[in-house]
Amino acid sequence: MDQNNKEKLEHVRHTLAHLLAAAVLETYPDTKPTIGPTVDNGFYYDFEFSSPITAEDLKGLEKKMRKILPSWKEMVGKEVSPDEAKKLFSDNPYKLELIDEIANKGEKITLYTAGNFTDLCRGGHSDNPAKDIDPDSFKLSRIAGAYWRGNEENKMLTRIYGLAFATKEELVKYEEMMKEAEKRDHRKLGKEMDIFEFDDQVGPGLPLWLPNGGAMIEELERLAKETEFKMNYVRVRTPHIAKDALYLRSGHLPYYEESMFPPMEYESGKYYLKAMNCPHHHKIFGSRMRSYRDLPLRLAEYGTCYRHEKSGELFGLMRVRTMQMNDAHIYCTEEQFADEFRAVNEMYIKYFKIFGVEKYVMRFSTHDPKRLGEKFVNEPELWKKTEDMVRDVLIDSKIPYIEVPNEAAFYGPKIDVQVWSAIGREFTLATNQVDFAVPKRFDLVYTDKDGTAKTPLCIHRAPLGTHERFLGFLIEHYGGNFPLWLAPVQVKIIPIGEAHIASAEKIHNMLRDSMIRSELDLSNDGFGKKVRNAKTARIPYFIIIGDKDMEADKVTLENRDRGQVGQLSREEVLAQLMSENKERR
Ligand SMILES: [Zn+2]
Ligand SMILES: [Zn+2]
């Protein structure tokens, strides 16, 4: 969508939030509207109702919105004094609070009116709602409770969500995608497929990986470790806790303290659970004299971190309080930076191929020269140089990217990697950052060719993100039908009767000897049930052994997606599975 259409849609969504409030007030006149922003699939509005409404009531409100819409031929804005605004909203404490806030900031107060409805608003609407908004392109989708201003100590309001798109077709497409996403919901499939579990006594946001999840994690780590080894990374290990001194040095304290677990008092010191691996890795870099010959130094670790997330914001594997990160820090010279950055991108592309991610985009956040020394570390030359290099590499490698000015991290440009799952839902999986400032904070130096001490650049990168988020994504992406190499159980062996058990055991042992995750079904279930069980468990291959197979000294191989493969010798089955497994197909 181009910028112009994007803005138009934003205006439509915003206007619809007003329209919703108008419909609510016509239907329930003593309701107090509060705020109604847009979101990336539509809009919502928070209300204080005098008596509760339910999801059943949304249809009626939606109808009312469609009824009012044709009469909204324009939205007229007007600047008013704080007192005038307060008079209009005298019975609405929420609006009064907002008006005071705007006035205290010295900003203008504007009211917008369409039809009989006036709201406090900054503007940004459709010029002619009746004409610009297709009445079939929006829908009220659900209601939820929401605290005023997101604060648990405030009153609980009722939030009404609406979906809104430019056309009816887009709305229908979005709803179909969400229906499919519901079927593939990682929380649902994660339970059904015995991948992970949460337990109250362990604590919210702390997933337990069941054996199936454990097997998948091992495969992801194998992939990362192999890839990183071949690209000359070295692996390190660091503890899960550290003294406050480390985080004061890194600047996580006090700036990041809210996101960290509270400290433990121990041996008259304070210890924190690790919220990031970087400070530990910096200490490893700094623990030895380094020369330009040692660079680039690429320190990798599947590090476990802990973050304090509000309980209301926890969500399956997507928002958790512990995470295992595919982390690495690359320390390099300025001259080496472009090549290192290019290699990191190549790693992404390699992973996208393996996982069949077809659509992705890199969001490249850059600095604003006007805010150097305030929002961005004051290194004008370095900003320009590295941003130019990053941009060149992105263009060179033909990687789709968008540049977002003024959104870089304090200490360097940032690249967020956005991917789309097989059903078209967008995920932010990983962030890469270039770091000018922290190596200096840690006094990290290397001796250059001319004998002088120089500060290295640092690239933070985590292409596979965290196990939690990445597996959450993969569960939806594959809908649970994992490729052979990633599937927790790779082969199910089903002997038809007693007489076939010995032969089944033989191939089972052969496969396990070659590290194929094979399982033998010796349950009392009938043959049909056994096959059905293997299919509902989404196991990629199953092997059936009956009389005919015994006579031929062979087995029958079937594939989850392709159906019957054929009658093969044990050696042929083994060779086929091993090659498919190795190629990660
Ligand atoms: Zn507005
Ligand atoms: Zn880092």
Side-chain angles (χ1 to χ4, degrees), residues 413-432:
K414 183 174 88 162
I415 297 104
D416 293 305
V417 183
Q418 283 160 308
V419 302
W420 279 259
S421 73
I423 58 168
R425 232 153 57 96
E426 186 185 332
F427 288 79
T428 300
L429 285 186
T431 301
N432 295 337

Side-chain angles (χ1 to χ4, degrees), residues 44 66 172 332 525 545-546:
Y44 67 78
R66 295 209 173 87
V172 170
C332 64
D525 293 333
I545 301 161

Side-chain angles (χ1 to χ4, degrees), residues 11 14-15 17-18 36 75 111-112 117 119-125:
H11 289 171
H14 179 161
T15 305
H18 282 256
M75 289 192 78
L111 303 176
Y112 278 83
F117 177 71
D119 207 351
L120 179 70
C121 176
R122 280 200 190 89
H125 309 103

